[in-house]
Amino acid sequence: MQINLAKGLEGHSLLPLLETDREKDRFIYCESARGDPKRNKDVIKGLEGKQFAIRSKEWKLIRTPKTTGIHYELYNLKDDPRESNNLSGTNLDIENELKSKLNEFVKEYKRSPYYIEKTGKIIKKEKDKQEKINALKSLGYL
């Protein structure tokens, strides 16, 4: 299938990803806005409630922050492409591998200038670094 786009548009075609078999170890990260707090009472508002997901060719793990803690959903996309059967807790090797990769991605996101600016939150490591820089500045070293 070919789609003719207007010249001058930015971006890259994702068609090659759809036409070829993705490598086994390739992962795609996704993020979305939080759920609807009117329908889901335990949803967290704002950036803190943002959902993240990671997927491979066969698996998808969704991470949802809720007022009761972080909740995960695991789907086998090969057997369940509509994501109707949550397998969280049934395939711990896959789930733990995906959780580890996804949580690293979320940590990086929370270090981003965008996140810090929007939330005013700096993770401890970044806060400690900024305090050291401020101390060096106050002593005239920077």
Side-chain angles (χ1 to χ4, degrees), residues 5 28 37 39 76 108 142:
L5 299 176
I28 298 171
R39 290 180 30 178
N76 183 319
E108 285 300 314
L142 296 176

Side-chain angles (χ1 to χ4, degrees), residues 65-130:
K66 296 185 177 184
T67 56
T68 55
I70 303 293
H71 294 266
Y72 292 93
E73 298 170 57
L74 179 67
Y75 298 100
N76 183 319
L77 300 174
K78 181 180 169 190
D79 298 337
D80 181 20
R82 294 187 179 198
E83 301 175 18
S84 57
N85 186 22
N86 182 0
L87 299 174
S88 184
T90 64
N91 193 329
L92 294 179
D93 289 341
I94 294 290
E95 187 170 347
N96 288 335
E97 176 188 8
L98 293 176
K99 274 184 186 178
S100 176
K101 290 180 183 307
L102 184 57
N103 288 333
E104 280 303 312
F105 179 80
V106 172
K107 282 182 191 176
E108 285 300 314
Y109 171 78
K110 289 186 175 186
R111 289 186 185 111
S112 72
Y114 171 80
Y115 179 85
I116 293 168
E117 178 184 326
K118 293 293 183 185
T119 63
K121 293 182 180 183
I122 300 175
I123 61 173
K124 183 172 176 13
K125 183 178 178 183
E126 293 297 318
K127 186 176 181 180
D128 291 345
K129 179 180 173 183
Q130 190 60 47

Side-chain angles (χ1 to χ4, degrees), residues 20-71:
T20 61
D21 193 23
R22 280 183 240 130
E23 301 117 39
K24 180 184 177 214
D25 296 329
R26 185 167 182 180
F27 297 97
I28 298 171
Y29 296 92
C30 315
E31 63 179 86
S32 72
R34 60 176 172 44
D36 183 359
K38 292 177 185 172
R39 290 180 30 178
N40 302 303
K41 301 297 182 207
D42 58 351
V43 168
I44 298 173
K45 294 181 182 179
L47 287 181
E48 292 295 315
K50 184 178 284 242
Q51 287 183 313
F52 290 91
I54 182 173
R55 65 164 291 167
S56 64
K57 181 179 179 183
E58 190 172 339
W59 295 94
K60 181 176 183 182
L61 181 76
I62 302 170
R63 176 189 187 275
T64 305
K66 296 185 177 184
T67 56
T68 55
I70 303 293
H71 294 266

